Amino acid sequence: MENIEQKLISRINEHATPLRIMHVCGTHERTISKYAIRDVISEDIQLLSGPGCPVCVTPAEDINFAIALARSGKVITSFGDMMRVPGTAGSLFDARSEGCDVRMVYSIDDAIRIAEDNQTQEIVFFGIGFETTAPSNAAALLRGVPENFSILTSHKLMPPAMEILTQDTKVDGFLAPGHVSTIIGTDPYEPISKKGFPIVVTGFEALDVLLGIAMIQNQIESGSSSVENAYPRAVNAEGNIKAREMMYQVFKQTDTKWRGIGMIENSGLALRTEFEQFDASNVHAEIYEKVLHDRKVSETDSNRTGLYEECMCAEILTARAQPSQCPFFGGRCSPEDPVGPCMVSLEGTCYNWYKYRHNKGI
Ligand code: SF4
């Protein structure tokens, strides 16, 4: 008997028309690459990878700031992936190999413990990620943190980025990110769907992704565009209200720069005034200002800013190119020795193409 995956693949292929469906989640890219979903569905349906990898979209100047802090004697605490991503002044790993105190942590709580245990040192936590990680960082600040602790905030919000992609990239519909949607719910996608873009909130099994694709096809076939939830076991329309309340008690929306895309209005989170004593850019304002000044002096304000000259991450993050089109892919650039941010993380598009597709000659 045909299993559900096979039925969905048959259904998708029988109804295939030229379609460009974008996901904006590194875990979706992982599922799509790992289970070779592009290889089993019709070539007419292009699955595009958007800016869904948090370390990939962290701008070079934030990495440069973290490195400058480390070089000035502060203790930098960061997720492991972030330590390998190059800014324009090397990576945090490079700083560590110079003798700087850069420590890998799994959560903000690990960083707070380091601050409690080292009260004569200044501890900075590099806070990155989307709506999924910001609430736990907010909760930690609400519980209280030691005076020698601060946070370098580089959080990003997904709906404003999707909005921009509808203007700049040819896309017919979105697989919305399941993890982010557990926090924000499905309502924030409504304004985008009302502009004519079908959106399906999708989970992370191969079956989930196939279902998401089929549901987008259904909408397009029927000439409709709405927000549908194919991940009801984790996501509802309202999302996690409590998590969002905590998040906005501590953070406020702000314009922020996405690596490879540029400045996006209201797409980031900055600490509110009540928490500015824990904002690394305030606490270490002199170092921050110098990093910003150096950037202005040495770089043009381009979306490619901070990327190695021929690295195509700006094109990859906006689905204007595929990893295999990059001259460095699989040669000069590999997970062992990444040139650009998209090759570093388990959520990076280049990383996943290399891990799951490169051995097939792609
Ligand atoms: S293969 Fe490497 S250099 Fe090329 S776009 Fe990807 S990360 Fe950048």
Side-chain angles (χ1 to χ4, degrees), residues 105-245:
V105 292
Y106 292 100
S107 71
I108 191 170
D109 295 328
D110 292 346
I112 292 167
R113 266 191 294 279
I114 292 171
E116 287 167 346
D117 294 344
N118 298 274
Q119 293 192 7
T120 57
Q121 290 179 288
E122 294 283 342
I123 314 299
V124 180
F125 175 65
F126 198 167
I128 63 155
F130 300 114
E131 291 91 334
T132 35
T133 46
S136 54
N137 293 345
L141 288 175
L142 288 169
R143 284 196 300 271
V145 294
E147 283 179 7
N148 60 331
F149 177 89
S150 61
I151 176 166
L152 192 173
T153 307
S154 194
H155 289 296
K156 306 273 180 279
L157 302 173
M158 190 47 81
M162 290 169 69
E163 187 89 46
I164 287 288
L165 290 163
T166 62
Q167 298 163 20
D168 294 351
T169 305
K170 187 179 166 347
V171 56
D172 297 307
F174 286 97
L175 299 175
H179 294 141
V180 164
S181 305
T182 60
I183 303 296
I184 68 172
T186 60
D187 292 345
Y189 304 118
E190 293 289 347
I192 303 169
S193 75
K194 284 192 172 56
K195 289 182 180 170
F197 296 93
I199 295 180
V200 178
V201 176
T202 304
F204 299 101
E205 302 296 331
L207 182 59
D208 291 317
V209 172
L210 291 168
L211 180 61
I213 295 167
M215 288 171 73
I216 287 178
Q217 274 184 314
N218 273 345
Q219 288 197 41
I220 287 175
E221 275 173 14
S222 64
S224 63
S225 64
S226 61
V227 181
E228 291 185 287
N229 184 5
Y231 195 30
R233 61 189 188 275
V235 173
N236 58 37
E238 302 79 36
N240 187 330
I241 295 168
K242 178 77 186 150
R244 283 204 309 283
E245 278 173 1

Side-chain angles (χ1 to χ4, degrees), residues 310-313 316 323 326-330 333-334 338-343 350:
E310 289 175 69
C311 168
M312 293 180 68
C313 279
I316 305 291
C326 173
F328 292 151
F329 180 72
C333 184
S334 66
V339 170
C342 301
M343 189 59 94
C350 295

Side-chain angles (χ1 to χ4, degrees), residues 55 78-85 93 103-106 344:
V55 305
S78 164
F79 298 134
D81 280 353
M82 197 65 245
M83 291 171 63
R84 301 179 62 219
V85 177
F93 255 133
R103 306 189 196 183
M104 189 180 89
V105 292
Y106 292 100
V344 173

